[in-house]
Amino acid sequence: MAGQPGFFDLSDRYEALSAAGDPLERLAAVVDFEVFRGPLVAALRRSVRGKGGRPPFDPVLMFKILVLQALYSLSDEATEFQIKDRLSFQRFLGLGLDGTVPDATTVWLFRERLVQAKAIDKLFTRFDAALKDRGYLAMGGQIIDATVVPALKQRNTEAEKTAIKEGRVPEEWKPAKARQKDRDARWSIKYSKAKVREGADPKAAKPVDLAIPMFGYKNHIGIDKAHGLIRTWGASAANAHDGARLPDLISRGNTGSGVWADTAYRSKKNEAFLATGMFKSHIHQRRKPRQPMPERIAKANTRRSKIRAQVEHVFAGQKHRMGLIVRTIGIARATIKIGMANLAYNFQRLAWLEGRPAPA
């Protein structure tokens, strides 16, 4: 009978994780999570607890659990299991093998308290200040865009859909059912332009553009051109008009005046807003209906696209690597979900920026 290994050679296992390039170890080394303690304590402040009962978990520990959820697209139940199962998660959280792991209900309650306190904006602002303190100023101008974040689809009747659109709770819904229904998410259409392959027969039928229906919310962001960090953001239902959000996403702290965005943001109102604020518009121009695109405008749009495309890397990282999806119900919970994804992206981006070789 083999003897029981003492402490599972924990230090050796940690060394093996480090040698394999544990990304969470790198994240913990680059991001000072203690900067969030003040905003977290303020958000969680409540009346003095009576004596007895289990003391609450450390707020920074709980916040780091939400970071893990954002990075790996974990539900509350999966988060509890993965923390117990994975040494890398335990090390990131500062838990030993004998440490108490918050259960799924505790994670849910912590996030709910942040939702009620509307704390995500203050947490995001606090980290943005930390970035500036480290020299990562918003520079070079800003790039604005939005993407749909999928949510769990609802199975409603036509009468129920009509009531929801009118801002009413369907009469036949009992309170228990109403709590399980997302009345804030909306349907939207994502258009994908078909591209003609090089060398294709000009007489052949051209590929058809795709219109993909999507249900959920939108993540509206503004990144700085110099560092690719998210500087401003907002959440909305998926059917919100992108262009109407531009004034809310413009950062006046950016040292550059340029603003890049796609044609959804091109309007007389937005152009006047940018001109009044001394910003330089690099927003794509539309083709006039039933008229070919002038070559001059087409070339200008191509130059803008080379810069504007940087924002697509953010969405690709969130959707493909982080698996961003909204599993919760309602815009308030979706906002903190999307906000945490934006924070987690900035954490990873900072780790990448810090890991670049110094210029010669």
Side-chain angles (χ1 to χ4, degrees):
M1 181 175 179
Q4 181 179 1
F7 223 39
F8 302 102
D9 296 323
L10 190 58
S11 61
D12 291 341
R13 295 193 179 191
Y14 281 156
E15 288 180 8
L17 282 174
S18 299
D22 180 8
L24 292 177
E25 182 182 30
R26 174 63 180 166
L27 207 64
V30 170
V31 179
D32 179 12
F33 286 98
E34 281 298 316
V35 302
F36 297 104
R37 184 173 295 278
L40 287 170
V41 170
L44 300 170
R45 188 174 291 119
R46 58 182 178 178
S47 58
V48 179
R49 291 164 55 96
K51 293 184 178 180
R54 188 174 65 183
F57 286 93
D58 179 75
V60 176
L61 165 69
M62 296 302 299
F63 176 72
K64 291 170 77 174
I65 290 177
L66 298 191
V67 173
L68 289 175
Q69 286 189 316
L71 289 173
Y72 297 98
S73 189
L74 297 172
S75 66
D76 295 336
E77 291 75 13
T79 300
E80 178 185 353
F81 175 81
Q82 292 293 343
I83 294 173
K84 293 177 179 177
D85 186 62
R86 298 175 65 168
L87 281 177
S88 60
F89 280 24
Q90 294 170 18
R91 178 166 66 171
F92 177 71
L93 297 173
L95 295 174
L97 292 177
D98 56 347
T100 303
V101 175
D103 60 24
T105 301
T106 301
V107 175
W108 184 88
L109 289 171
F110 175 79
R111 188 174 56 252
E112 280 295 292
R113 292 177 65 188
L114 295 186
V115 170
Q116 294 167 10
K118 299 179 179 179
I120 189 62
D121 286 333
K122 293 181 180 178
L123 293 169
F124 192 90
T125 300
R126 181 63 190 90
F127 187 64
D128 193 59
L131 288 171
K132 293 173 182 175
D133 290 341
R134 296 177 69 157
Y136 292 100
L137 301 177
M139 301 168 61
Q142 47 203 307
I143 308 170
I144 310 297
D145 205 354
T147 190
V148 175
V149 179
L152 302 180
K153 297 181 178 66
Q154 306 292 292
R155 308 300 179 188
N156 299 322
T157 64
E158 290 301 321
E160 290 171 339
K161 292 177 182 177
T162 300
I164 291 171
K165 289 179 181 179
E166 294 174 353
R168 298 185 290 108
V169 178
E171 296 179 358
E172 62 272 20
W173 285 6
K174 295 181 180 180
K177 183 175 181 178
R179 286 194 295 269
Q180 299 301 317
K181 288 289 188 176
D182 192 337
R183 292 179 285 119
D184 296 326
R186 291 291 186 271
W187 284 96
S188 180
I189 300 295
K190 178 182 178 182
Y191 294 97
S192 179
K193 296 291 290 183
K195 296 182 179 179
V196 179
R197 288 185 294 179
E198 293 185 13
D201 185 354
K203 296 182 180 180
K206 294 183 179 180
V208 179
D209 295 345
L210 297 178
I212 306 171
M214 301 187 71
F215 181 80
Y217 296 89
K218 266 187 183 176
N219 182 17
H220 306 261
I221 66 170
I223 69 170
D224 69 275
K225 179 175 173 288
H227 305 298
L229 291 160
I230 300 172
R231 299 295 183 167
T232 58
W233 69 280
S236 72
N239 64 346
H241 189 267
D242 294 352
R245 297 287 174 138
L246 184 136
D248 299 330
L249 295 171
I250 291 295
S251 170
R252 299 188 181 276
N254 197 298
T255 61
S257 62
V259 176
W260 287 262
D262 62 28
T263 56
Y265 297 86
R266 168 73 68 168
S267 69
K268 292 182 179 179
K269 185 177 180 180
N270 282 344
E271 292 298 307
F273 169 81
L274 293 176
T276 302
M278 303 299 289
F279 293 101
K280 184 176 181 180
S281 174
H282 297 288
I283 300 176
H284 282 224
Q285 295 190 55
R286 298 185 181 94
R287 176 179 60 83
K288 292 183 179 181
R290 295 182 297 277
Q291 293 185 22
M293 177 75 77
E295 185 177 355
R296 172 181 58 84
I297 295 178
K299 289 183 177 179
N301 282 348
T302 299
R303 290 193 298 269
R304 294 167 181 146
S305 292
K306 292 179 180 179
I307 296 174
R308 197 199 67 80
Q310 294 179 33
V311 75
E312 299 297 343
H313 300 308
V314 179
F315 296 142
Q318 291 181 333
K319 290 186 175 184
H320 301 304
R321 291 199 304 272
M322 295 164 58
L324 178 57
I325 185 174
V326 173
R327 296 187 178 91
T328 53
I329 296 173
I331 185 65
R333 296 184 179 116
T335 297
I336 196 168
K337 174 73 174 182
I338 292 171
M340 285 301 305
N342 290 336
L343 259 177
Y345 175 84
N346 275 357
F347 296 159
Q348 290 184 317
R349 183 68 180 178
L350 176 62
W352 181 85
L353 291 168
E354 291 282 288
R356 290 183 303 175

